[in-house]
Amino acid sequence: MKNEIDIHRALKVFNKITQYGEKRAIESDDDGHLDHDYWLCGMSAQTDHDGYTISLSDAQASLTVFFHNKYQFEYPTNDALDNFLRRFNDIENYQAQ
């Protein structure tokens, strides 16, 4: 299965999560300082310190978008990827209340 995704769609999902999601503190693996992520509709959104790399993840799968629109999926099964992509639809259709 070839994993193709519209990067602009991923960026819109990322923006919606950071705009409407719950901000949570997480411990950074690198320096021990607290970083943060955002959580919405079962999906987490994070960015690196310079904002060039973003990460979207749920309990089983993740998508990392790098500089110049390169990206990498990580998932254990095709079902996990399908569930992850369904969350994209949920977030795209999310209406703030």
Side-chain angles (χ1 to χ4, degrees):
M1 175 181 184
K2 188 171 183 178
N3 298 318
E4 291 188 20
I5 189 158
D6 179 356
I7 295 299
H8 296 284
R9 183 178 178 217
L11 294 173
K12 287 179 185 178
V13 167
F14 177 85
N15 285 334
K16 202 162 218 185
I17 294 171
T18 58
Q19 182 177 9
Y20 299 113
E22 175 188 345
K23 186 175 182 178
R24 302 181 310 173
I26 57 173
E27 187 173 330
S28 172
D29 292 338
D30 298 334
D31 55 17
H33 292 96
L34 288 181
D35 286 333
H36 64 273
D37 69 351
Y38 294 88
W39 188 261
L40 182 68
C41 298
M43 188 171 283
S44 171
Q46 292 180 288
T47 186
D48 63 354
H49 66 281
D50 60 11
Y52 287 115
T53 303
I54 66 165
S55 179
L56 298 167
S57 60
D58 66 7
Q60 292 187 326
S62 68
L63 168 65
T64 304
V65 180
F66 303 100
F67 195 59
H68 294 299
N69 295 331
K70 294 181 182 179
Y71 62 90
Q72 177 181 1
F73 275 109
E74 291 185 26
Y75 55 91
T77 65
N78 286 337
D79 286 340
L81 177 61
D82 290 342
N83 288 333
F84 178 81
L85 294 175
R86 273 194 287 275
R87 291 185 194 277
F88 262 53
N89 291 332
D90 293 344
I91 293 167
E92 287 176 316
N93 296 322
Y94 179 81
Q95 298 292 321
Q97 299 172 11

